[in-house]
């Protein structure tokens, strides 16, 4: 048996049934209070069985001046580690056990007991942020290169809710690009090289679009006599957009009297059916 040298550099085993990030963060937070970074932190991730626990204890027994800090969710594995550490007089700090036990007394829901669950939640969060940033970057055809990278491409005339839809769908972790169709501006070639089922055409009745554009101009303090809000111009744009959608052969959704949430639900239904 090795006699532990109290003057040797402390060794902290960060033991976890996931990646060990939480244990390491807590260890470093504690060491800051001692104005010291002279600690050898040894991460031991994915400890999910008793055999692995026994290997860790053997290593700790032969390591001078050490402590184990664990964030193990699995009850049987955690208890085995705690028992062996006590039997071998190895200092151990159980970060998750007491917290899980306390929460179990005040929350009327059983814990999932799934290692790494927090990281799956984090991954989901970052996917959502990535999708939101994508929607902003490739809004209104700013960069045609985004069309081929999108999960869904929304096309339609101005004021057919393309941008709010892109943002709504981004919260569902879909990367959405949108493109405004205007008779005077030919769509980028990239649009015609995409699989038609990845494109959603947004259509609208001329009368509804007339009302929307009139209100838009009023809100901006502009004259409602502008060509943008004239029925003839609106008809021209809609006919052009319909021609492009027919050429592509993409699914179409009439957004005339629908809320963004309702339109998004229709898009998600199309995706679930495998049509996109």
């Amino acid at each position: 048996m090795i006699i532990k040298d109290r003057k040797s550099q402390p060794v902290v085993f960060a033991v976890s049934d996931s990646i060990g990030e939480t244990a390491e963060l807590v260890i470093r937070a504690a060491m800051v209070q001692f104005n010291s970074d002279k600690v050898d932190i040894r991460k031991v991730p994915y400890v999910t069985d008793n055999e692995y626990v026994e290997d860790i204890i053997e290593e700790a027994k032969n390591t001078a001046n050490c402590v184990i800090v664990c964030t193990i969710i699995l009850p049987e594995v955690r208890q085995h580690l705690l028992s062996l550490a006590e039997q071998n007089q190895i200092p151990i700090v159980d970060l998750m056990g007491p917290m899980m036990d306390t929460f179990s007394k005040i929350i009327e829901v059983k814990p999932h007991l799934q290692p790494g669950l927090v990281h799956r939640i984090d991954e989901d969060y970052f996917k959502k942020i990535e999708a939101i940033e994508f929607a902003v970057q490739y809004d209104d055809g700013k960069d045609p290169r985004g069309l081929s990278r999108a999960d869904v491409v929304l096309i339609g005339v101005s004021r057919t809710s393309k941008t709010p839809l892109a943002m709504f769908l981004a919260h569902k972790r879909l990367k959405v690009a949108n493109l405004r169709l205007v008779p005077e501006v030919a769509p980028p070639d990239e649009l015609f090289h995409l699989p038609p089922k990845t494109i959603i055409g947004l259509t609208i009745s001329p009368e509804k679009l007339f009302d929307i554009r009139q209100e838009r101009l009023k809100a901006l303090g502009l004259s409602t006599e502008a060509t943008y809000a004239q029925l003839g111009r609106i008809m021209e744009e809609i006919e052009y957009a319909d021609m492009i959608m027919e050429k592509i052969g993409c699914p179409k959704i009439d957004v005339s009297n629908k809320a963004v949430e309702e339109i998004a639900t229709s898009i998600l239904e199309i995706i679930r059916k495998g049509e996109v």
Side-chain angles (χ1 to χ4, degrees):
M1 178 177 175
I2 294 177
I3 299 175
K4 295 186 177 182
D5 179 3
R6 295 295 177 185
K7 294 183 180 180
S8 63
Q9 183 182 33
V11 175
V12 183
F13 292 93
V15 181
S16 173
D17 45 18
S18 183
I19 64 174
E21 186 178 62
T22 301
E24 183 180 9
L25 286 172
V26 173
I27 292 165
R28 294 192 184 282
M31 292 313 302
V32 167
Q33 301 301 319
F34 296 91
N35 294 324
S36 173
D37 58 358
K38 297 179 180 179
V39 176
D40 180 7
I41 300 175
R42 301 181 187 176
K43 288 174 65 173
V44 190
Y46 306 116
V47 180
T48 56
D49 59 62
N50 289 344
E51 185 177 352
Y52 200 171
V53 164
E54 290 159 12
D55 290 341
I56 294 165
I57 292 296
E58 283 302 313
E59 183 176 355
K61 283 166 59 177
N62 292 286
T63 302
N65 201 16
C66 76
V67 62
I68 296 172
V69 175
C70 73
T71 54
I72 292 182
I73 298 295
L74 300 170
E76 291 183 6
V77 177
R78 182 173 69 242
Q79 190 54 54
H80 192 55
L81 178 62
L82 291 170
S83 297
L84 287 182
E86 183 179 1
Q87 290 173 24
N88 290 277
Q89 298 182 328
I90 300 169
I92 185 167
V93 179
D94 176 16
L95 294 177
M96 294 301 294
M99 189 177 299
M100 296 285 289
D101 292 342
T102 300
F103 283 176
S104 293
K105 294 175 183 177
I106 63 172
I107 301 175
E108 295 180 357
V109 177
K110 290 184 179 180
H112 294 291
L113 300 179
Q114 295 178 25
L117 190 59
V118 66
H119 299 290
R120 286 195 286 275
I121 293 172
D122 286 346
E123 183 181 355
D124 183 71
Y125 170 78
F126 286 118
K127 283 183 178 178
K128 183 186 297 185
I129 296 300
E130 184 181 3
I132 292 171
E133 291 176 345
F134 186 94
V136 172
Q137 184 175 356
Y138 299 109
D139 180 49
D140 205 21
K142 289 176 183 174
D143 186 347
R145 292 174 298 180
L147 299 179
S148 62
R149 296 179 51 212
D151 297 316
V152 180
V153 176
L154 304 177
I155 61 173
V157 301
S158 175
R159 313 313 298 174
T160 48
S161 301
K162 295 184 298 300
T163 298
L165 273 171
M167 296 305 296
F168 187 96
L169 293 170
H171 282 82
K172 303 294 183 182
R173 294 162 298 284
L174 287 173
K175 292 181 179 178
V176 183
N178 76 81
L179 180 67
R180 177 174 40 170
L181 299 177
V182 185
E184 292 77 18
V185 182
D189 291 338
E190 288 87 348
L191 184 65
F192 299 100
H193 292 104
L194 298 176
K197 293 180 180 179
T198 64
I199 303 168
I200 301 289
L202 304 177
T203 66
I204 190 170
S205 72
E207 295 77 17
K208 182 64 177 179
L209 186 54
F210 174 80
D211 291 340
I212 292 173
R213 290 191 176 182
Q214 288 277 314
E215 291 301 318
R216 176 62 174 168
L217 289 175
K218 289 177 184 177
L220 294 173
L222 301 174
S223 170
T224 56
E225 299 300 317
T227 304
Y228 171 79
Q230 294 305 301
L231 193 56
R233 170 62 182 184
I234 288 172
M235 291 288 293
E236 180 187 0
E237 289 187 26
I238 291 176
E239 288 174 5
Y240 174 76
D242 283 343
M243 181 190 71
I244 296 295
M245 293 173 196
E246 289 298 325
K247 182 178 180 180
I248 294 170
C250 63
K252 294 190 287 187
I253 297 175
D254 188 340
V255 303
S256 298
N257 296 296
K258 295 178 181 177
V260 168
E261 293 83 357
E262 187 179 358
I263 305 166
T265 298
S266 298
I267 294 172
L268 292 170
E269 186 176 346
I270 291 172
I271 294 171
R272 277 194 292 270
K273 289 180 178 178
E275 295 178 17
V276 171

